[in-house]
Amino acid sequence: MKQNRISYALAAALVGTVALAGCKKKEEPVVTPPAAMEPAPAPAEPMPAPAPVSATVVTVGNTAAADKSVAAVGMFGVKDKIIVSVKTDASTPADATIDAKLTFQDGQVAGQKTQAVKAEDAGTTNIEFTNTNDWPAGKYKVDVTLNGQPVGMTQEIEVK
């Protein structure tokens, strides 16, 4: 009889386990949240349009050839003319303003000239400085701007 009681007890336990399993709520399927979307990349900033006119070379000398080219000179005589030669390049024809300034070693402006040009392709503009008197001996700085923007490095010359 003991065997019967154990069998009944095991059977009852088995039936209870099955009943509990049957009453158990069905698990809701786990809904995964949508993958985090990366923000759309910011639109690329447009490349700035190239300047219609750019200066490619600035040369300071005292004589100009027929093609307006100037051989670079660093030492001038007191009676020499000073020529600032600016080579420009334009992707499309455009108006431009070239400004050349001579500054004496004490900071005094010895000369300043502005020239309006119509730049087309590659071209050269020469700005001449002359002095009815002799140039004062000393060092001078030559600064050039194109449409108000500095062109290259300040160049230094000397008058003896």
Side-chain angles (χ1 to χ4, degrees), residues 73-97:
V73 175
M75 190 73 66
F76 292 82
V78 294
K79 296 189 182 299
D80 285 351
K81 108 173 89 173
I82 299 171
I83 302 171
V84 179
S85 179
V86 182
K87 290 187 179 186
T88 54
D89 193 15
S91 53
T92 59
D95 293 326
T97 302

Side-chain angles (χ1 to χ4, degrees), residues 6-152:
I6 293 177
S7 295
Y8 287 122
L10 283 175
L14 182 61
V15 169
T17 304
V18 170
L20 283 174
C23 291
K24 197 175 193 183
K25 276 187 173 179
K26 285 189 176 179
E27 289 185 23
E28 295 286 325
V30 177
V31 177
T32 57
M37 295 183 65
E38 291 186 28
E45 290 186 27
M47 294 294 290
V53 181
S54 62
T56 55
V57 178
V58 175
T59 309
V60 181
N62 56 8
T63 56
D67 65 353
K68 295 186 180 181
S69 63
V70 172
V73 175
M75 190 73 66
F76 292 82
V78 294
K79 296 189 182 299
D80 285 351
K81 108 173 89 173
I82 299 171
I83 302 171
V84 179
S85 179
V86 182
K87 290 187 179 186
T88 54
D89 193 15
S91 53
T92 59
D95 293 326
T97 302
I98 298 172
D99 183 75
K101 179 169 72 169
L102 294 176
T103 307
F104 190 60
Q105 61 194 14
D106 64 1
Q108 181 180 349
V109 175
Q112 184 166 3
K113 291 188 177 183
T114 301
Q115 191 163 343
V117 297
K118 179 75 169 183
E120 299 181 81
D121 298 325
T124 302
T125 302
N126 291 340
I127 298 175
E128 294 185 9
F129 292 92
T130 56
N131 196 344
T132 53
N133 301 320
D134 291 348
W135 290 105
K139 295 186 181 200
Y140 292 78
K141 290 182 183 177
V142 180
D143 291 298
V144 177
T145 61
L146 175 65
N147 293 330
Q149 298 299 313
V151 175

